[in-house]
Every structure is written in structure tokens, then in C-alpha cells.
Amino acid sequence: MTTIYRARRIITMNPSRPQATHVAVRDGRVLGVGTLDELAGWGAHTLDERFADKVLLPGFVEGHSHIGEGVYWRWVYCGYHDRTDPDGRVWKGAGSIEAVVERLREAQKRLADPAQPLIGWGFDPIYFGERRCHRSDLDAVSRTRAVAVMHASGHITNANTVALDLVGWMRSGHEHPGIMVDAQGLPTGELKGPDAMMPVLLKVGVDREATAGDEAGVRAFAKLAVRMGVTTATDLATPIPDSAVDALLRITGEAGFSLRLVPAMHVRGQSVEQAIERARHLKSRSTDRLRLGLVKAHADGSIQGFSARMRWPGYYNGAPQGLWYVEPEYLRRVYALALQHGIQMHTHTNGDEAIDLAIDCLQDALRQHPSPDHRFTLQHCQLADRAQLRRMKSLGMCANFFANHHFHWGDAHYGMTVGPDRAERMNPCASALELGVPFTIHSDAPVTPLGPLHVAWCAVNRLTPSGRVLGEHERIGVPDALRAVTLGAAYTLQLDGEIGSIETGKRADFAVLEDDPLEVAPHALKDVRVWGVVAGGVPVAAGG
Ligand SMILES: [Zn+2]
């Protein structure tokens, strides 16, 4: 059974035949791309004209997201920017700490059980200047119910007094660098990094083990993916217990399920040997729609949370050095064992010192286990300078830049975190292109909203919230940005032989667009409307 889809334009990402008007699909795969006459040579077919006025691209590949984007909507959205939920409803941003408190108070009225914790997400106090959220702010929401608010970055959580009491932390004498204390020596309620956040989050019911295979969350995430033209998305850091693997295999195995999921197992809590052994086991359970075996490690924290590891001269505003999330020695050993067993590592590195560590570790590991085409990928890799990019190129590393940062935190980076010149070099897409480092760009949803066209728009325009072009020399063109969110991302996931372009033999995964991204003005790229996707040859409309 062959279907030939006619489109206004098909942008293939295959340089041998970059554009066409028709694509033939058989058994969920691309049979051929060309004119109707050329494709008719394959024999009997059905001509499907429903996309005659639409533009097809390869289905977008989100190289760094989390299914939390589907899970978090059951909690209270506390972000600064307006945001669309999986059902298409737009939630207004909250413009001050007071507005966040008010929103939490309102939400609390809908909780019947007075002991049920209240959870917020997407909080972004960097927009509110020097004012930090204190536990007393959240005590104003409730003095009887635990309240925890996760920051947009995912690297900081604010807790009220009841929540701190749940873990026995309402006392002085804290020495952990992630537990902020006030003049009285009591916790302010601001908790930085996993060691400080996790105990409280677990108590209030944010349990990453439990949500790793959360059915409603995965379905909501898949729904949102269709809305954004995404046909393959990562869940880039999950504990992925066996129960989650079973659930994900079942859900992604359903005939109508439209998203290919690529979870990466986090190394946290495992010895190096356990982690790689488990990754090998997971890899053996992979299917077409559920790709297992990737491993994720975190080297440091976040730049806007001042927990990223910075080289000299450190933070522009004098904030103290950030945190290591992993023992440097652990990273060295896990890289070596991963290379030995053909396991691919994705490493969170925000600050330039963290990037140095990852490059050094890989260089050491490669001496022990020479491994061509390992594609170890630095995630975020925001502050890489050109010398680091040259080393990455020579070692065969890939980068996944966090292009959305310019739009979300660019002004803060310019004026507060890293200062003007390093802010302009952040997420250096043009340098990576020039130096030949394979790269993609990402949203890190739910840190910023899922949406590859918006991510591409960020890399093309590099506009901050105030309208500043931050790093005009690192801007890239629309075709390069579109390539980054399709074939570029597929390459970093070692899936570029199967997805990322529309060409014979590949999966028939398409993003279906109402407007032509190569025809609209570059500053309008984010406004290109998405009809939905074709996943494995099956059309799925957004909201359908
Ligand atoms: Zn992430």
C-alpha cells in the first residue's frame, strides 16, 4: 500500500534533493521523494492531497527535553512568560513574587485536603531583580500546608516553613552549600542542586522515579509534541526504573502513538559499573518508538542560578563559584567504561569549567578506549569558547546548545551573570558551524516550552526579552537552524540514519506546517503555524 502525499513544498534536509512536491510512503517509511511522475513509477498508489497547501519538513527532533513538560501541568504554573499547555490553553505569566504567591493562594482553594502539599513550577525570580523568594513569602500562601515551588531552570526549589519542617531542616547549623541560610542561620527556603532539593521534593510528592513512566504525563507530552511538529523527543535524565520501561514500552507500542521517545538514564545513585551495566540492559530492550541505552550525567548546575562551574574570572556580579553535581573522578571513570561498552554519554555542562572537565575526561577515556564515532554530546554547552570547540571537534564530540536562553535569560546574562562579552558568545552556533562541531539546539522543556520553531527562531535572531540582539556574530541562518532541529538533533542521538531528513528508506516522520519557514521573514520564524505531524506515515493533526 503506497500513499503519495502532495505538498506545497517539501523541505527534505537531503542536499542531493533538497526540495520536492511529492513524497511516497510505504510501510511507514519514505519510498521516494520527487515529482508525481517520478514516484508513480513505484506502481499502484493513492494520491493524498490533504497537504497540497502545506509545507512538509522532517519531523522535528527535540534533542533535550523532559516528559516533565507533560507531567508538570497538573501543578501550578508560576513562570514569567505566557505558556501553552498540552490542550492548547494559554496560561498567563506571573510578573512578580507577589503575583506568584497570589496564584498559589488561588490554586490552594481547589485542594480539598488541608494536608495536601501545593506544588508550583516554572518560577523565574531572576526577572524580579535582587529580590529573592524567602520562606516567609510562601508561608503567606500557607502555614499549615507544605508549599514547594520549582524554578524554571530545574536547579532550584523554594520551600515554605512547613515543607522545611517535613525534612527537619528548620534549624540552624546547615553547612551544605545548596541550603541557603539567612542572618539567623535558618534556611531561607531556597534550595540549590539535587542534594538540597530532592529530599523536600520527594516529601511533597515530586518523585522522578514515579513520574518516569507516568502514563498521563507521557500522553500529554506526546500531545504537545504534535502541536509543535515534533516526532522524536528525548527524556534527557530519568531514573527509568523497570516499571517505567514496561509502561513506556506499552504506551509507545500502541498503534496510534505518534511520538518516538528517547530516554536517557541518569547515573545518579549508581556506581559507575552499575550505571553502565544497567544502560546495556536497557539498550537491549529498545524498540523503534522507544530508544533506550543513552546515559546522562550532570557536571554542574545553572548559570542564572549561579550554580554553574565557571572558570576565571567567574560571575560578573561576583557571585561565588557554582557546584559540581558529579565527582570529577566519577565522570572520568564513567566515560571510560561507557566507551568500552559502546554506550553514549550526554553530559550537562553549563559553565566553561564544567565543559573543560568533560573534554578532559573524554580525552583521557579515549586514550584507554579509542572509539571512533562515539558522539558523546555536551548538553547546553552554553559557555564554550572557540578553543573548547576546537578540542571538541578533534575528539569527535557533539554539542546541544540551549538557544532559548537568549530569549529567556539573555538580559540577565548580559547585565548580571556572565557580563556582556561572554553573554554574546553563549550558545555559539555560528562558531560550531564554522569549526565543524556537529550540533543541535534545544528547549530543555519544561525549562522553556517545547517548540523547535521557537528554538530555531532564537538561534537565528538571538533576541533578549528587552529586544537586544545578544551576539549578532553567533547568529545562524534559517536553513542551518532548521537543519539543527531535524538532522542535527538526530545525529546527536545516533539516529540520523533513520530520521532527521525526508529521503528514501527513512521513517515517514514529517512536521506539517501551514506556512513556509523559508519564505517568512527570519524574525517571524517562531510564528510559523504547525498543522501537526505525520508519524510513521500516519497524519496526526494538532489537538486531534
Ligand atoms: Zn534538561
Side-chain angles (χ1 to χ4, degrees):
M1 181 65 195
T2 301
T3 303
I4 297 180
Y5 290 104
R6 175 182 156 211
R8 183 163 116 215
R9 168 140 78 163
I10 301 171
I11 301 167
T12 68
M13 297 296 155
N14 171 17
S16 312
R17 187 163 262 204
Q19 296 189 18
T21 52
H22 292 74
V23 55
V25 174
R26 184 188 287 172
D27 298 332
R29 298 164 79 182
V30 175
L31 182 63
V33 180
T35 63
L36 182 57
D37 273 356
E38 289 172 328
L39 297 175
W42 285 104
H45 62 264
T46 310
L47 179 62
D48 191 321
E49 306 242 19
R50 80 180 84 184
F51 301 138
D53 62 343
K54 306 202 188 318
V55 175
L56 303 187
L57 259 79
F60 294 131
V61 181
E62 174 47 275
H64 188 149
S65 55
H66 303 270
I67 59 167
E69 176 79 40
V71 174
Y72 283 16
W73 286 103
R74 69 190 60 158
W75 300 322
V76 185
Y77 176 60
C78 298
Y80 181 78
H81 293 278
D82 297 355
R83 189 152 172 157
T84 306
D85 74 13
D87 293 317
R89 178 174 167 193
V90 178
W91 293 76
K92 279 281 172 208
S96 65
I97 290 179
E98 290 67 29
V100 169
V101 167
E102 190 47 43
R103 178 168 300 195
L104 289 164
R105 274 194 183 138
E106 276 301 310
Q108 169 172 242
K109 292 180 186 160
R110 295 192 294 274
L111 298 183
D113 177 355
Q116 187 181 341
L118 182 64
I119 303 163
W121 67 282
F123 183 45
D124 208 356
I126 200 142
Y127 284 106
F128 314 139
E130 295 298 309
R131 166 119 153 75
R132 305 300 290 183
C133 178
H134 189 266
R135 62 170 198 278
S136 57
D137 290 309
L138 300 182
D139 288 346
V141 177
S142 178
R143 292 180 177 280
T144 54
R145 175 197 308 281
V147 180
V149 179
M150 298 183 280
H151 287 217
S153 71
H155 291 267
I156 304 178
T157 292
N158 279 94
N160 72 345
T161 300
V162 176
L164 291 164
D165 265 332
L166 286 178
V167 287
W169 287 359
M170 267 310 293
R171 54 173 175 79
S172 54
H174 290 287
E175 282 185 2
H176 192 284
I179 302 175
M180 304 298 118
V181 294
D182 59 20
Q184 288 74 46
L186 293 171
T188 65
E190 186 166 288
L191 306 169
K192 290 188 175 186
D195 294 348
M197 296 182 342
M198 287 304 177
V200 171
L201 287 176
L202 274 174
K203 284 283 183 188
V204 299
V206 180
D207 180 346
R208 300 231 155 88
E209 291 251 344
T211 52
D214 185 285
E215 180 154 0
V218 171
R219 290 191 193 284
F221 184 56
K223 213 170 173 182
L224 195 59
V226 171
R227 213 172 266 294
M228 299 298 160
V230 173
T231 50
T232 298
T234 46
D235 183 16
L236 211 68
T238 158
I240 199 155
D242 282 328
S243 56
V245 178
D246 295 340
L248 293 175
L249 282 170
R250 177 172 54 76
I251 298 165
T252 58
E254 288 172 7
F257 194 78
S258 57
L259 182 65
R260 179 176 296 92
L261 259 185
V262 188
M265 180 203 72
H266 205 285
V267 297
R268 190 175 294 128
Q270 303 176 79
S271 72
V272 165
E273 292 73 19
Q274 284 170 336
I276 299 305
E277 184 52 40
R278 170 121 184 99
R280 295 175 69 198
H281 165 72
L282 288 168
K283 196 173 181 177
S284 72
R285 299 192 69 187
S286 273
T287 62
D288 171 42
R289 285 291 165 89
L290 184 69
R291 297 307 175 100
L292 297 162
L294 280 72
V295 173
K296 173 89 181 279
H298 273 82
D300 66 345
S302 89
I303 298 168
Q304 74 277 24
F306 303 101
S307 54
R309 291 294 302 196
M310 302 287 287
R311 294 192 307 207
W312 186 89
Y315 289 105
Y316 190 52
N317 68 350
Q321 177 61 291
L323 305 172
W324 286 124
Y325 277 25
V326 67
E327 288 291 330
E329 185 53 29
Y330 184 101
L331 198 64
R332 204 173 299 276
R333 291 180 47 234
V334 81
Y335 274 15
L337 202 61
L339 282 182
Q340 187 182 343
H341 292 287
I343 294 294
Q344 194 200 14
M345 295 285 313
H346 291 258
T347 309
H348 167 113
T349 52
N350 263 319
D352 44 10
E353 190 182 44
I355 294 168
D356 265 348
L357 174 72
I359 296 173
D360 288 346
C361 287
L362 183 62
Q363 191 160 20
D364 276 4
L366 281 166
R367 283 195 194 103
Q368 298 168 51
H369 302 286
S371 311
D373 206 21
H374 53 77
R375 301 192 202 179
F376 277 26
T377 300
L378 294 188
Q379 295 291 337
H380 307 324
C381 197
Q382 296 205 73
L383 279 171
D385 67 15
R386 287 172 70 94
Q388 289 176 321
L389 291 173
R390 284 188 289 269
R391 289 185 72 197
M392 289 171 67
K393 165 72 179 169
S394 64
L395 295 175
M397 295 179 106
C398 309
N400 188 355
F401 297 120
F402 201 163
N404 280 19
H405 250 262
H406 304 284
F407 180 64
H408 286 265
W409 297 289
D411 293 314
H413 291 319
Y414 187 92
M416 198 192 305
T417 68
V418 298
D421 50 355
R422 286 180 298 172
E424 294 206 330
R425 128 185 151 204
M426 284 177 80
N427 300 296
C429 294
S431 288
L433 259 185
E434 182 196 331
L435 297 171
V437 178
F439 75 96
T440 179
I441 46 182
H442 66 273
S443 68
D444 199 6
V447 175
T448 71
L450 189 73
L453 285 166
H454 189 274
V455 174
W457 173 84
C458 288
V460 166
N461 296 283
R462 294 179 70 102
L463 282 170
T464 69
S466 73
R468 178 193 296 280
V469 175
L470 189 61
E472 62 166 307
H473 303 293
E474 291 295 350
R475 288 187 300 185
I476 57 173
V478 172
D480 285 325
L482 293 176
R483 187 178 189 280
V485 294
T486 52
L487 202 52
Y491 185 86
T492 65
L493 302 175
Q494 299 181 316
L495 293 175
D496 54 306
E498 301 172 52
I499 57 172
S501 63
I502 303 178
E503 57 182 292
T504 301
K506 286 198 166 181
R507 303 283 167 191
D509 289 355
F510 314 135
V512 183
L513 309 181
E514 302 277 6
D515 312 302
D516 189 335
L518 297 181
E519 267 175 18
V520 302
H523 65 79
L525 187 57
K526 66 179 169 55
D527 305 318
V528 164
R529 294 164 301 158
V530 177
W531 175 87
V533 301
V534 172
V538 180
V540 186

